[in-house]
Amino acid sequence: GRWRAISACRMTPIPQDELRLLREGVEFGYAKAQHLLGMCCYEGDGVPQNYREAVRLFRLAADGGEMIAQNMLAQCYMGGTGVQKDTLEGVRLMTLAAEQGHANSQLMLSMLNRGTGGPAAAMPRAAARVLAQHAQHGQIADEPEHRSVVLAQLGDSADDRNVARTCCIGCGKTEQLQVCAKCRTAKFCSRECQQRMWPKHKQACKAWAEQKAAAAAEAGGASSSVQAAESGEAEEDVASLPVKELKRRLDRLKISYAGVIERSELVALLEHAPRSN
């Protein structure tokens, strides 16, 4: 059980006694040990670098549900490292890791599939939150990056509705945000961020505002159609109704037609009768 404490993030070569514990864990089928020994093979840490063996161990761990191993195996497939390149299999494995909450898998899927309707569509808000976190902390894929680089990636996602709804597209903040008055979709933490991001936001802003206006107009039209259908009589050709039906409707409206003989007069009474809502 001691191998569970072994970390894959090391600054010095792994001691041989820890390698022995990892190998014992692999023999017992522990996914964590399979993943960690796979990392040793992948990086050449304590053992000769061997990508094929790393892929074999990552696959064992991935089959056991180890999400970091799923991510590593996905990267191997997508880069053709130690295995024949297979982008679709890489995306499938990365999706498995992302669905378990692996933050960098969510982020990588979001970047890979943005605007293509790919697997990231199943977890767009999660990916957007990760992107926001990286923007705030200046990190991506576990490696420190220049803040300007990460902010540029966030800015490139300004036309992604899920990103715009989740965080300030100018800096990635997720609290104390205000909604754009025009599109009612994008959020900003300050006037400064809104003005700075306007060149990137204005096209999406216009499109989202038009979509909302069209949806509102369509909803209004549907409501009018329903009201007209419910009233029924307003759309009918009243003049074509038989005399008996004309009198029945006048009775229902409590309109007197005593002494009226001509059918045309009954029609006129009905057509000019006040309508109740």
Side-chain angles (χ1 to χ4, degrees):
R2 286 181 295 168
W3 58 267
R4 290 178 181 272
I6 299 174
S7 172
C9 301
R10 307 184 56 83
M11 299 299 293
T12 57
I14 186 171
Q16 289 301 308
D17 60 336
E18 291 188 6
L19 272 177
R20 180 179 56 79
L21 291 173
L22 284 179
R23 291 191 175 101
E24 290 178 359
V26 169
E27 291 178 4
F28 280 104
Y30 293 124
K32 188 68 174 179
Q34 293 163 346
H35 159 239
L36 292 176
L37 187 57
M39 289 300 301
C40 291
C41 295
Y42 186 87
E43 297 174 350
D45 183 5
V47 296
Q49 190 173 58
N50 187 332
Y51 290 132
R52 288 186 178 276
E53 179 63 9
V55 166
R56 185 185 74 83
L57 291 165
F58 288 152
R59 184 176 290 111
L60 290 173
D63 289 344
E66 182 67 27
M67 65 180 182
I68 303 178
Q70 291 168 343
N71 175 271
M72 287 301 302
L73 185 58
Q75 293 186 56
C76 289
Y77 269 107
M78 296 173 76
T81 305
V83 66
Q84 184 174 353
K85 186 173 182 177
D86 188 338
T87 302
L88 291 178
E89 177 64 7
V91 170
R92 184 189 73 81
L93 288 160
M94 195 165 290
T95 301
L96 291 177
E99 287 174 344
Q100 292 193 71
H102 189 251
N104 286 314
S105 292
Q106 293 172 344
L107 177 61
M108 293 171 74
L109 275 178
S110 179
M111 294 170 66
L112 283 169
N113 298 286
R114 202 171 74 83
T116 67
M123 59 202 74
R125 286 188 179 268
R129 283 194 296 271
V130 174
L131 188 59
Q133 291 168 4
H134 282 294
Q136 291 182 66
H137 300 295
Q139 294 181 340
I140 186 169
D142 292 332
E143 294 292 336
E145 295 282 345
H146 294 295
R147 183 170 175 76
S148 60
V149 173
V150 185
L151 288 176
Q153 293 169 340
L154 183 64
D156 288 341
S157 301
D159 60 348
D160 186 320
R161 195 186 298 265
N162 291 293
V163 174
R165 285 174 170 168
T166 300
C167 64
C168 172
I169 58 177
C171 64
K173 289 183 179 179
T174 55
E175 297 179 352
Q176 298 181 336
L177 305 178
Q178 295 183 340
V179 180
C180 173
K182 185 175 181 180
C183 68
R184 307 300 300 172
T185 299
K187 296 180 180 179
F188 298 93
C189 69
S190 65
R191 182 73 173 170
E192 179 186 355
C193 275
Q194 185 176 20
Q195 291 178 339
R196 178 164 50 82
M197 294 305 298
W198 176 244
K200 289 182 176 292
H201 173 58
K202 62 181 179 180
Q203 187 172 354
C205 182
K206 180 180 178 181
W208 293 338
E210 290 175 348
Q211 290 170 8
K212 284 185 178 291
E218 184 178 349
S223 177
S224 299
S225 299
V226 170
Q227 291 175 359
E230 289 176 346
S231 64
E233 297 167 9
E235 298 296 327
E236 279 187 294
D237 181 8
V238 178
S240 66
L241 296 174
V243 171
K244 186 176 181 179
E245 177 62 13
L246 289 170
K247 290 182 177 180
R248 188 188 70 78
R249 295 193 182 190
L250 287 168
D251 287 336
R252 190 176 65 188
L253 295 171
K254 297 181 180 181
I255 297 175
S256 175
Y257 52 88
V260 177
I261 299 176
E262 296 294 328
R263 183 173 181 279
S264 60
E265 292 178 330
L266 292 171
V267 169
L269 282 172
L270 189 58
E271 286 181 337
H272 294 88
R275 303 295 179 186
S276 59
N277 294 329

